[in-house]
Amino acid sequence: MKAFVVDKYSKKDTLRLAEMPEPELGDSDILVEVHAAAVNLLDSKVKTGEFKLILPYRRPFILGHDVAGTVVRVGSKVRKFRPGDDVYARPRDGRIGTFAEFIAMDEADVALKPKNLSMEEAASIPLVGLTAWQALIERANLKKGQKVFIQAGSGGVGTFAIQLAKHLGVTVATTASAASADLVKGLGADVVVDYRKDDFEKVLSGYDVVLNSQDAKTLEKSLNVLKPGGKLISPDPDFAREKELNPVLRLILRLLSRGIRTKAKRRGVGFSFLFMWAQGDQLGKITSLIESGAIRPVVDRIFPFEATNEALAYVETGRAKGKVVIKVK
């Protein structure tokens, strides 16, 4: 099969289009013919080796963390899916590789594709959808009538999280450029702060939850937006669950976050990292929301499979509104 692979960790080198063996199928796996794959900033970070200590892939490896396609074969213990099913997923860390014609995934990571979405639209959802779901529902336990500040509203996580929060009956504030204001308002944002003109910590106050996806300076400023007892969550879609990291790496992460944890405690608010994980059952719940019309995908551009490197370069510019997708089939 054709696939785009990482030969060595590098900021300058591009992915190589290679002939790779078709994935082997485990007893609990499904083999999916890839129709579309989304591109995330995570792909760039893995390619450059930024996370090689935490995600030690054996090179050459196939890149890609979001997929939509059709099941062609299933393992002997698979019960949820059968050949011919249209599915989508964010395969678990250690088993990525969606920039390819086929991928094998554990059935636990997979859900049926929303019937009202194209393959390209469906591929845009899993990573950002699961990140937003795990942050707002699992971690923040958002309730109707509360207030949430979602940073970078026009980004991949932001466009999904705004819609999920509005579905929950929550007042939503976000940051965006003037050019993206209409987009985020259309998704449900009640308050839009132009980050180029205004300082959000001077405009917003009394929020129950802040979803931070920016740098350390912005993270610290976010504490001032929260009311006492509020929650600051920094979703990091780049890693698996914290409990799956080895003890040394866990200690390093705790030391790196010690400053912000101390300041949060002083202000009487909670702080936590969110380590997003693959979860087919949660993705199935997201499917229901999409099919009901509560959430729609936001796709900026679709590139042909041969232009995967161009798609990755476009994501790296930071200008994409919503998601960037590769059409494989």
Side-chain angles (χ1 to χ4, degrees):
M1 68 173 187
K2 291 178 180 173
F4 278 90
V5 304
V6 176
D7 285 314
K8 64 178 181 178
Y9 293 124
S10 169
K11 289 186 177 180
K12 294 180 180 178
D13 291 346
T14 57
L15 303 176
R16 176 171 62 92
L17 181 58
E19 283 291 337
M20 299 291 282
E22 191 176 288
E24 294 182 7
L25 200 65
D27 290 344
S28 298
D29 292 346
I30 62 172
L31 182 67
V32 173
E33 183 176 23
V34 178
H35 287 242
V39 185
N40 298 282
L41 196 55
L42 169 58
D43 296 307
S44 176
K45 292 180 178 181
V46 170
K47 170 185 166 287
T48 60
E50 195 171 324
F51 300 136
K52 61 186 176 183
L53 290 176
I54 297 171
L55 301 171
Y57 291 109
R58 192 175 184 178
R59 291 158 290 166
F61 64 89
I62 304 169
L63 201 58
H65 293 78
D66 273 320
V67 64
T70 303
V71 178
V72 291
R73 203 159 69 244
V74 302
S76 60
K77 294 181 180 177
V78 172
R79 298 292 177 263
K80 293 181 180 178
F81 305 100
R82 58 187 178 185
D85 285 344
D86 289 338
V87 297
Y88 70 151
R90 192 289 202 194
R92 66 187 60 182
D93 291 324
R95 300 199 63 184
I96 64 168
T98 65
F99 297 169
E101 293 180 309
F102 295 92
I103 185 172
M105 298 177 285
D106 191 299
E107 70 167 336
D109 300 345
V110 183
L112 291 172
K113 179 185 80 67
K115 293 183 175 67
N116 57 336
L117 296 189
S118 67
M119 287 289 188
E120 292 77 24
E121 289 172 327
S124 75
I125 295 291
L127 186 145
V128 297
L130 287 169
T131 300
W133 182 280
Q134 290 165 16
L136 298 183
I137 293 179
E138 299 286 314
R139 186 65 59 85
N141 195 26
L142 265 183
K143 300 289 189 222
K144 185 176 181 179
Q146 289 188 313
K147 294 165 63 178
V148 62
F149 172 39
I150 296 166
Q151 293 169 1
S154 66
V157 173
T159 52
F160 192 99
I162 290 170
Q163 296 179 83
L164 180 59
K166 287 311 294 182
H167 172 71
L168 296 171
V170 174
T171 298
V172 179
T174 193
T175 47
S177 67
S180 299
D182 287 343
L183 168 66
V184 296
K185 286 176 183 175
L187 296 173
D190 301 289
V191 180
V192 181
V193 179
D194 184 344
Y195 67 85
R196 289 176 176 159
K197 287 197 320 178
D198 300 312
D199 191 339
F200 69 80
E201 69 174 330
K202 295 176 181 175
V203 177
L204 307 174
S205 62
Y207 278 69
D208 298 280
V209 175
V210 173
L211 207 53
N212 172 78
S213 55
Q214 304 298 294
D215 54 29
K217 183 180 177 182
T218 308
L219 183 69
E220 189 170 326
K221 286 167 63 175
S222 298
L223 293 170
N224 300 323
V225 172
L226 289 162
K227 69 180 186 182
K231 298 175 183 176
L232 171 57
I233 301 170
S234 186
D236 198 334
D238 304 329
F239 301 124
R241 278 176 289 187
E242 186 175 10
K243 70 179 185 182
E244 293 175 354
L245 301 178
N246 71 50
V248 175
L249 290 171
R250 234 179 310 178
L251 176 61
I252 291 170
L253 287 169
R254 285 201 71 83
L255 290 172
L256 287 173
S257 64
R258 186 167 60 181
I260 189 70
R261 289 179 192 276
T262 301
K263 288 169 183 172
K265 190 173 182 181
R266 203 176 293 146
R267 286 172 169 82
V269 300
F271 169 76
S272 63
F273 279 120
L274 172 74
F275 295 85
M276 174 269 183
W277 68 94
Q279 231 288 351
D281 288 343
Q282 289 176 359
L283 201 53
K285 294 173 183 175
I286 289 170
T287 298
S288 298
L289 291 180
I290 292 170
E291 289 181 342
S292 74
I295 292 176
R296 62 179 174 86
V298 178
V299 176
D300 184 304
R301 291 179 65 180
I302 299 173
F303 289 78
F305 183 50
E306 298 75 21
T308 293
N309 279 304
E310 288 87 336
L312 189 58
Y314 180 58
V315 168
E316 288 170 346
T317 67
R319 294 197 300 265
K321 295 178 181 178
K323 293 297 293 288
V324 173
V325 177
I326 298 162
K327 182 178 174 65
V328 180
K329 180 179 169 60

